[in-house]
Amino acid sequence: MTSIVQNKVIHTAVSAPGAGKTQALISQISSLLSAGRSIVIALPTLSLTDSFVSRLPAGVPHRVINSTTFDHVGSELKAALKEKESHLVITTHQSIFAVQPNLLRGWTLVVDELPPMVDFPAFTFEPSELAQLLVNAVELDGRLHIREGCADAIATSLATFKAASAGAERTSMLSKDGARIYECLKDGHPVFIDSAIPNGNRYVRSVVESSCWDTFAAAEEVHILAASVIGSQFDDFAQVHEFTYARSEFTPAFDGYTSAVTIYPVMPEGRKFSTTTMTMVAHEGSTMDQHKQGQALVIDEVLKIVLPRANGTPLLFNNNWAVFRWLPRGDAHRCPIDSRGLNEYQAETDAILLFGGNPSPSDQLALEFLATKYGRVFLHGFIVTRLLEPSLQAATRTAIRDRNNTKPIQLFVQDGRVAEYLVSTYMPDAVIDWSLSEICPAGEDRRTTADVRRVQVYEFFAQGKRNAEIVRLTGVHRNTLPRWREDWRLSRAA
């Protein structure tokens, strides 16, 4: 039996947002099809799919297979890849990575934008809700596993939940969060359960890695169109799975943005923008209860300082928790953080970026799990993917992408990390102006303060106590101790 050689090369078309990566692909499609190539194009969203199809040359035969064109996307996509009646198939990231990888043999796969690499679903469960989960799952050493003989019961519970969610006359005992955890268990992803907090609730979380690498390995050729690859989460996992890069034939020529750009961080130099710093009550620095009583949060005061300095109607990007109920309609264009394909505001010169991207405590535990599993640090890739790259995409929704723009661009960004990333990627001539950071309020992120328990934990290390006993004595999470023990060893050796 002839073995199939796995593809381990990814061709990357890396260039700035608005540089013309997608158009470079579209301009070559007709000639590629004429040369006998079979091409699958995967886009991240349905709206980007519609935009892509509208730009195809007239008369190019193609099939669009997604949730707007078919009820059963998986079976339609499977048949299209297997039978090759059309040699140009257009679908989504989610759909292409859900089909059997071997169906991609003989196909050139082009992925527009980096697909998500890992998800960290995490939910708080009340005791009664957790008890429902534990009917078919069992807790062992801080993790949940499918209870012996209950795999079919979990599948049935999920099917009932999906039917009930779709409006069928059926009742499901599972909550939406519970169904997500059952999905993780069914698919073989690790599921962790933390100790009970004082009110009796418990945190259940998982680490869900992408299955895209088997798809990439099966395809005849893979191309990725992206603004950046190196340093991202995608890059982290590409290295883990031993993929290498080559330059894609769809890489467009790009001479750089021509607009004059000034970048204004709102956090002081050396300080990081975070949910904690921005959700403190302005002037009080106390509790969310005061905010509920009508007192403004720090982020409200920041926007009130920034907004008068913006020209035109600025683009505003913020997390959902920043509601800005006081903001008059029409004073800013409220935009989603995932701004890929958002091209209707290119006449505007200014953007205000007030969203975070630091790992939550739960995310941090997941990153530590990955670090232990693969022997490498994933934090930088997390920050690039969750904060820096979305900030670049948001900033370039403005007139900066218009080569004929002569107006200056103002970008009001979260902190120095974002400012430096913009300069180091596609805005090398931009000026970073710290003046706003001197007058914007900024709460203290208590999560960045050194954990006072470290001193006691180090003493226990010196006494030779085991991790389990230290967890019991100090309350430090068991996943944190290996990293602290290594830090302690290094400090002793220094």
Side-chain angles (χ1 to χ4, degrees), residues 99-120:
V99 299
Q100 295 174 344
N102 61 1
L103 293 171
L104 271 294
R105 287 175 183 149
W107 287 87
T108 294
L109 174 61
V110 182
V111 182
D112 190 15
E113 304 292 354
L114 296 180
M117 288 293 98
V118 63
D119 186 24
F120 303 143

Side-chain angles (χ1 to χ4, degrees), residues 431-449:
V431 174
I432 301 178
D433 186 326
W434 291 94
S435 59
L436 267 182
S437 69
E438 297 171 0
I439 59 175
C440 284
E444 179 187 357
D445 189 343
R446 291 182 293 271
R447 289 187 305 174
T448 63
T449 304

